[in-house]
Amino acid sequence: MLLKKIIITAFWFVVVLAFISPFTELEPVQQLDSLEDWQKPSRITALNDADKKKVLQRLAYTSAAPPFVALPDFNQYSDTTAKKRAFFNYLRPYVKRENARLRSLRRQLIEIQQKKEKRMRISLEEYAFLYSLYDEFRMEVAETDQSMLQELLKRVDIVPDTLVLMQAANESAWGTSRFAVEGYNFFGQWCFREGCGLVPQERVEGSYHEVAKFANPAASIKSYFYNLNTFHTYESLRVIRARLRAEGKPVSGVALAAGLGSYSERGEDYIAEISGMIRFNRKLLEE
């Protein structure tokens, strides 16, 4: 009799858990310690502790960082498809995490924008969140208005997995380049302070740039997203993305690749190469 009661109780517990689990996933768990120093807000010192926590919750990543795994030796793969799949699987968790945070930030921005359109009151905590994003996404704003919000929304948006992974494959020779192996640099990102990275072997005499060195793949991915979403060099990419949003069209990797003319000295040829790689590898990218 007791065993029967235990079985019945366990059954109903599983049923209830299955019923509520979809709803518990609607609000992601905020990772309050997930921000890099350059992402941490500097304008919240005047807030009380409760509002500070709310702002940090708004800004935080919505999932835990993937556990660190050293870069595999992708040269070991004799099968090209297996090599590509392993490369995508290695980087994809970091890409998805960045995009998940951007979706969360963007949703909150749109809510604030709609409140301002309706002339509803914006709380001090919401203003602190807003100006924290202005700082993070390199906008000097004295007084926010709809035009500033619209520009911020152009920057706070996703970069499709297909584009990120394909550029990483192109720039790092599928994770086998010296810069990927020695510095987790998958995107050919430069830095301009002596000792900040790796000196290119074929650097032109008189040049001072180095290829940035990162401590882990997460830092490399974050830097890439930051570059595309903030630097004036990629304004055309952000304009394309904003237009797609306005027209209700999907933000695709091929569409955004058209805004990468300044990423490489090869210009249009580079755009064509990245777009072609996305199309050729689409099935693997969508796994």
Side-chain angles (χ1 to χ4, degrees), residues 26-173:
L26 290 177
E27 286 297 328
V29 177
Q30 304 294 331
Q31 305 295 312
L32 297 182
D33 59 348
S34 62
L35 300 177
E36 300 290 338
D37 287 341
W38 57 269
Q39 293 174 309
K40 292 177 181 177
S42 60
R43 304 199 191 195
I44 63 172
T45 53
L47 299 180
N48 60 43
D49 289 343
D51 281 341
K52 283 180 183 178
K53 184 176 181 180
K54 288 178 183 178
V55 173
L56 289 173
Q57 285 176 326
R58 284 177 171 274
L59 295 168
Y61 281 82
T62 58
S63 60
F68 172 76
V69 177
L71 186 72
D73 178 9
F74 292 110
N75 281 319
Q76 69 178 311
Y77 290 91
S78 57
D79 181 83
T80 302
T81 299
K83 177 180 180 178
K84 290 180 177 181
R85 183 176 286 116
F87 180 77
F88 292 154
N89 288 342
Y90 180 72
L91 289 183
R92 188 178 281 114
Y94 302 102
V95 180
K96 288 189 175 298
R97 185 171 185 250
E98 291 300 318
N99 277 327
R101 177 179 184 248
L102 285 165
R103 287 189 183 95
S104 173
L105 297 177
R106 184 176 178 83
R107 173 183 55 78
Q108 295 175 78
L109 272 178
I110 290 172
E111 289 173 356
I112 292 174
Q113 182 188 45
Q114 291 172 343
K115 287 180 72 172
K116 286 188 73 68
E117 286 175 349
K118 297 174 182 177
R119 299 184 180 278
M120 296 172 64
R121 178 181 174 275
I122 307 298
S123 69
L124 182 62
E125 165 236 317
E126 288 173 320
Y127 271 117
F129 164 72
L130 188 55
Y131 277 90
S132 295
L133 289 184
Y134 284 140
D135 286 348
E136 181 177 338
F137 288 85
R138 293 172 64 94
M139 289 180 62
E140 295 184 7
V141 177
E143 186 173 349
T144 190
D145 57 24
Q146 286 295 350
S147 64
M148 292 296 99
L149 275 172
Q150 204 58 46
E151 174 59 29
L152 186 57
L153 279 167
K154 280 170 58 180
R155 301 180 183 218
V156 183
D157 205 345
I158 66 163
V159 182
D161 296 18
T162 53
L163 181 62
V164 184
L165 294 174
M166 225 58 268
Q167 271 202 277
N170 181 281
E171 296 286 343
S172 72

